[in-house]
Every structure is written in C-alpha cells, then in structure tokens.
Amino acid sequence: MSADIFLIGPMATGKSVVGRQLAARLGVGFIDTDAEVTSVHGSIADIFAAGGEPAFRALETAALRSAAERPEPAVIATGGGAVLSEENRGILGDGYTVYLETDLETVRTRIAGVPGRPLLEGNPLDRWVQIFAAREAHYRSCATVIVDARTGTVAELAENILGAYRRRASTTGGITT
C-alpha cells in the first residue's frame, strides 16, 4: 500500500477542503488534481471547449499519476470523474482511498448556478444526479473506507478519516504521525 491518501467522490463533496485539513493534520503535502490540471492547461471549461471531455480526462489521469508517483506521501483530492478511468482506478487501488459519500441535498447550494462546471450545463441539479448515478458504483468499488460527508464540519470529517486511516496504518503501514 502506498502512503498516499486519495479522496474521491462526486463534484462539490468537499474533497479539496477536507483534503487540505487532513494533510495539515498529518503534516504532509496536499495535491488537488483538478488544480494541477488547471494551473498548467487553463480552466476546465476551456479544456472542455478545446478538446472535450476526453482531453480533460487524459490530463486528469496524467495529474493523478504524477501525484501518486511523488516520493513523499500526500493527501490527494481527485476530480469527481477520476474513477471513470481503469488506469485511475488502479492507481487509487494502490493507496488508501476515501469515498466522501454525499447526496444532492448536501451539495445543492454548492452546484446551483456555479459557473465553470461543463458537465453541469443545462439543469445542474438534474445533471449532478445523472452523473452521480453513473459513477456511484465506481466510488464504492475504489473505496478503502466510506465516510459520510453529509454531516459534520470539515474538521470533523478530517478527524474521522484520520482515525480510520491510523487504525488501518497501524496494521498495514502508511503515513505515521
């Protein structure tokens, strides 16, 4: 098992904010694969406009691979669609993968009317439900542990993940604090 902790789940689940908190508590680096892609290639909307979803997914896989190959351990927040790629699911399987489980009611205010999410064009709430339904089985199959992200503060979620990780790491190895 790699020492990395991967956070997966649908868009607007809180992977980035929880990931930053978790990384700080562990004293390790934090990597957001969407931020890595956009820092080099421009906005997600622009990437979709230029090359469609396949172009974005290729960049997403490269960012995930690069993050996972770093020599030092990190908390890595993935994009919501990272689980669609078989290669990505293999990478996630090599780490400690946390599925932040949520539902539409929890993310409703985070996605309604927020620009820059090409997959939510049209009716964002209906699109989110469709996308989630298509990906949920992948989230579950990739998860080492499932954390209910529908309740609790960011700090509480980070602490829940940290506790589960420490219990697992004490028997399998991993980031030590």
Side-chain angles (χ1 to χ4, degrees), residues 9-105:
M11 64 179 80
T13 294
K15 298 177 295 286
S16 296
V17 295
V18 172
R20 280 187 201 90
Q21 178 96 201
L22 181 60
R25 288 177 185 234
L26 285 165
V28 301
F30 171 72
I31 300 167
D32 180 319
T33 59
D34 280 351
E36 294 292 308
V37 168
T38 59
S39 72
V40 175
H41 302 282
S43 75
I44 293 172
D46 289 345
I47 296 166
F48 267 71
E53 187 173 357
F56 175 76
R57 295 294 167 213
L59 296 170
E60 177 179 63
T61 295
L64 181 61
R65 186 182 323 108
S66 176
E69 290 174 349
R70 293 168 36 111
E72 55 282 329
V75 174
I76 302 166
T78 66
V83 297
L84 296 173
S85 159
E86 187 174 336
E87 180 179 351
N88 292 353
R89 291 191 301 269
I91 293 168
L92 295 169
D94 288 338
Y96 185 83
T97 302
V98 179
Y99 166 32
L100 294 179
E101 183 177 40
T102 194
D103 58 21
L104 179 61
E105 290 310 308

